[in-house]
Amino acid sequence: MTYDHGPLRTYEIVWRSGHVETVQGHQVSFSGGQYALFDNGPKAPVRFHIHGQFDGHWRLVLAELEDDVAIIRDVTEPEQIKSSGEGDGHD
């Protein structure tokens, strides 16, 4: 069975170290942060994962600790910046 995930998205990752990189994928997800089943001890660290479908195969592109990242943002489409007065109905 095949499933069309649509076009790849491009994500910009700004690491706390200041390094900036871009990766492509279809999905960003987060895991961890839950208490262990039989232990009320500290939470597991939160991780983020970026997955994508490449050549018909679902692949893990990146998996890292959330604490190591300052920002993850989807930069697939360029931002549309409106000039003053544009689109406010006042012509």
Side-chain angles (χ1 to χ4, degrees):
M1 182 168 131
T2 62
Y3 183 79
D4 182 7
H5 296 283
L8 287 166
R9 309 297 296 177
T10 301
Y11 298 98
E12 179 183 78
I13 301 169
V14 180
W15 300 95
R16 294 208 185 274
S17 67
H19 177 71
V20 178
E21 69 179 294
T22 57
V23 297
Q24 289 191 308
H26 286 101
Q27 170 184 319
V28 178
S29 61
F30 295 84
S31 66
Q34 303 91 0
Y35 283 99
L37 184 60
F38 297 108
D39 180 15
N40 287 333
K43 294 181 179 181
V46 177
R47 293 187 161 277
F48 74 95
H49 308 90
I50 297 177
H51 290 89
Q53 184 174 11
F54 300 91
D55 298 324
H57 300 280
W58 194 245
R59 308 240 187 239
L60 174 63
V61 178
L62 183 67
E64 293 292 339
L65 293 174
E66 181 186 37
D67 286 346
D68 292 341
V69 173
I71 299 169
I72 301 173
R73 61 186 199 125
D74 184 339
V75 296
T76 304
E77 302 292 328
E79 291 185 68
Q80 301 283 329
I81 300 175
K82 293 182 180 180
S83 63
S84 179
E86 185 179 330
D88 62 4
H90 300 136
D91 293 323

